[in-house]
Short mmCIF file of all heavy atoms in Angstrom, two decimals:
data_model
loop_
_atom_site.label_atom_id
_atom_site.label_comp_id
_atom_site.label_asym_id
_atom_site.label_seq_id
_atom_site.Cartn_x
_atom_site.Cartn_y
_atom_site.Cartn_z
N SER Y 244 175.78 152.73 -0.44
CA SER Y 244 174.59 151.90 -0.15
C SER Y 244 173.37 152.51 -0.84
O SER Y 244 173.30 153.73 -1.01
CB SER Y 244 174.37 151.80 1.35
OG SER Y 244 174.23 153.10 1.86
N PRO Y 245 172.42 151.64 -1.29
CA PRO Y 245 171.25 152.19 -1.99
C PRO Y 245 170.41 153.06 -1.06
O PRO Y 245 170.42 152.83 0.16
CB PRO Y 245 170.48 150.92 -2.39
CG PRO Y 245 170.97 149.84 -1.47
CD PRO Y 245 172.35 150.20 -1.08
N ALA Y 246 169.73 154.05 -1.63
CA ALA Y 246 168.90 154.96 -0.80
C ALA Y 246 167.79 154.17 -0.14
O ALA Y 246 167.24 153.24 -0.73
CB ALA Y 246 168.31 156.05 -1.70
N LEU Y 247 167.50 154.54 1.09
CA LEU Y 247 166.44 153.83 1.82
C LEU Y 247 165.08 154.31 1.34
O LEU Y 247 164.90 155.48 0.99
CB LEU Y 247 166.57 154.10 3.33
CG LEU Y 247 167.81 153.55 4.02
CD1 LEU Y 247 167.86 154.01 5.47
CD2 LEU Y 247 167.84 152.03 3.95
N SER Y 248 164.10 153.39 1.35
CA SER Y 248 162.73 153.78 0.96
C SER Y 248 162.06 154.52 2.12
O SER Y 248 162.53 154.45 3.26
CB SER Y 248 161.93 152.52 0.62
OG SER Y 248 161.72 151.77 1.81
N HIS Y 249 160.96 155.18 1.81
CA HIS Y 249 160.16 155.85 2.86
C HIS Y 249 159.82 154.87 3.98
O HIS Y 249 159.92 155.19 5.15
CB HIS Y 249 158.85 156.37 2.27
CG HIS Y 249 159.00 157.62 1.47
ND1 HIS Y 249 159.76 158.68 1.90
CD2 HIS Y 249 158.47 157.97 0.27
CE1 HIS Y 249 159.70 159.65 1.01
NE2 HIS Y 249 158.93 159.24 0.00
N GLU Y 250 159.39 153.67 3.56
CA GLU Y 250 158.97 152.65 4.54
C GLU Y 250 160.14 152.29 5.47
O GLU Y 250 159.96 152.15 6.68
CB GLU Y 250 158.50 151.36 3.84
CG GLU Y 250 157.11 151.42 3.23
CD GLU Y 250 157.09 152.09 1.85
OE1 GLU Y 250 158.17 152.54 1.39
OE2 GLU Y 250 156.01 152.17 1.25
N GLU Y 251 161.33 152.15 4.87
CA GLU Y 251 162.49 151.76 5.68
C GLU Y 251 162.90 152.88 6.65
O GLU Y 251 163.25 152.62 7.81
CB GLU Y 251 163.68 151.38 4.77
CG GLU Y 251 163.47 150.03 4.10
CD GLU Y 251 164.41 149.81 2.92
OE1 GLU Y 251 164.87 150.81 2.30
OE2 GLU Y 251 164.70 148.65 2.61
N ILE Y 252 162.84 154.10 6.16
CA ILE Y 252 163.20 155.23 7.05
C ILE Y 252 162.20 155.29 8.22
O ILE Y 252 162.58 155.41 9.38
CB ILE Y 252 163.21 156.57 6.27
CG1 ILE Y 252 164.32 156.53 5.22
CG2 ILE Y 252 163.39 157.75 7.21
CD1 ILE Y 252 164.30 157.68 4.24
N PHE Y 253 160.91 155.15 7.87
CA PHE Y 253 159.87 155.19 8.91
C PHE Y 253 160.10 154.08 9.93
O PHE Y 253 160.11 154.31 11.15
CB PHE Y 253 158.48 155.05 8.25
CG PHE Y 253 157.34 155.02 9.23
CD1 PHE Y 253 156.81 156.20 9.74
CD2 PHE Y 253 156.81 153.81 9.66
CE1 PHE Y 253 155.76 156.17 10.65
CE2 PHE Y 253 155.77 153.77 10.57
CZ PHE Y 253 155.24 154.94 11.06
N ALA Y 254 160.32 152.85 9.44
CA ALA Y 254 160.51 151.71 10.34
C ALA Y 254 161.74 151.93 11.23
O ALA Y 254 161.71 151.62 12.43
CB ALA Y 254 160.66 150.42 9.53
N GLY Y 255 162.79 152.51 10.67
CA GLY Y 255 164.00 152.78 11.44
C GLY Y 255 163.73 153.79 12.55
O GLY Y 255 164.24 153.65 13.67
N ARG Y 256 162.95 154.79 12.23
CA ARG Y 256 162.66 155.82 13.24
C ARG Y 256 161.80 155.26 14.36
O ARG Y 256 161.99 155.58 15.53
CB ARG Y 256 161.99 157.02 12.57
CG ARG Y 256 162.94 157.72 11.63
CD ARG Y 256 162.33 158.95 11.03
NE ARG Y 256 162.01 159.92 12.08
CZ ARG Y 256 161.29 161.00 11.88
NH1 ARG Y 256 160.81 161.27 10.68
NH2 ARG Y 256 161.06 161.83 12.86
N ILE Y 257 160.84 154.40 14.00
CA ILE Y 257 160.00 153.76 15.03
C ILE Y 257 160.89 152.87 15.92
O ILE Y 257 160.81 152.92 17.15
CB ILE Y 257 158.87 152.92 14.39
CG1 ILE Y 257 157.87 153.83 13.64
CG2 ILE Y 257 158.14 152.05 15.42
CD1 ILE Y 257 156.95 154.66 14.51
N ALA Y 258 161.78 152.11 15.27
CA ALA Y 258 162.66 151.21 16.04
C ALA Y 258 163.57 152.01 16.99
O ALA Y 258 163.86 151.56 18.09
CB ALA Y 258 163.50 150.37 15.09
N ALA Y 259 163.96 153.21 16.55
CA ALA Y 259 164.86 154.03 17.38
C ALA Y 259 164.09 154.88 18.39
O ALA Y 259 164.69 155.76 19.03
CB ALA Y 259 165.70 154.91 16.47
N ASP Y 260 162.78 154.66 18.49
CA ASP Y 260 161.93 155.44 19.42
C ASP Y 260 161.93 156.93 19.11
O ASP Y 260 161.79 157.76 20.00
CB ASP Y 260 162.37 155.24 20.89
CG ASP Y 260 161.81 153.96 21.46
OD1 ASP Y 260 160.78 153.48 20.95
OD2 ASP Y 260 162.42 153.43 22.42
N GLU Y 261 162.07 157.26 17.82
CA GLU Y 261 161.97 158.68 17.44
C GLU Y 261 160.52 159.03 17.23
O GLU Y 261 159.72 158.19 16.82
CB GLU Y 261 162.74 158.93 16.13
CG GLU Y 261 164.22 159.10 16.33
CD GLU Y 261 164.93 159.27 14.99
OE1 GLU Y 261 164.36 159.88 14.07
OE2 GLU Y 261 166.05 158.74 14.88
N ARG Y 262 160.20 160.29 17.47
CA ARG Y 262 158.82 160.74 17.26
C ARG Y 262 158.56 161.01 15.77
O ARG Y 262 159.43 161.53 15.06
CB ARG Y 262 158.59 162.05 18.03
CG ARG Y 262 158.56 161.86 19.53
CD ARG Y 262 157.15 161.58 20.01
NE ARG Y 262 157.13 160.75 21.21
CZ ARG Y 262 157.34 161.21 22.45
NH1 ARG Y 262 157.57 162.48 22.67
NH2 ARG Y 262 157.28 160.38 23.47
N ILE Y 263 157.37 160.65 15.33
CA ILE Y 263 156.94 160.98 13.98
C ILE Y 263 156.17 162.31 14.06
O ILE Y 263 155.33 162.48 14.94
CB ILE Y 263 156.01 159.87 13.41
CG1 ILE Y 263 156.69 158.48 13.51
CG2 ILE Y 263 155.58 160.19 11.97
CD1 ILE Y 263 158.01 158.33 12.78
N GLU Y 264 156.50 163.25 13.18
CA GLU Y 264 155.87 164.57 13.22
C GLU Y 264 154.96 164.75 12.00
O GLU Y 264 155.08 164.02 11.01
CB GLU Y 264 156.95 165.66 13.28
CG GLU Y 264 157.80 165.63 14.55
CD GLU Y 264 157.01 165.85 15.85
OE1 GLU Y 264 155.92 166.48 15.80
OE2 GLU Y 264 157.47 165.40 16.92
N PRO Y 265 154.03 165.74 12.06
CA PRO Y 265 153.00 165.86 11.02
C PRO Y 265 153.51 165.88 9.58
O PRO Y 265 152.87 165.33 8.70
CB PRO Y 265 152.31 167.18 11.36
CG PRO Y 265 152.52 167.35 12.83
CD PRO Y 265 153.83 166.70 13.15
#
Side-chain angles (χ1 to χ4, degrees):
S244 58
L247 294 174
S248 68
H249 283 315
E250 283 82 358
E251 286 164 334
I252 295 171
F253 177 83
R256 293 184 62 191
I257 294 287
D260 278 336
E261 278 177 35
R262 290 270 150 81
I263 306 301
E264 296 298 336

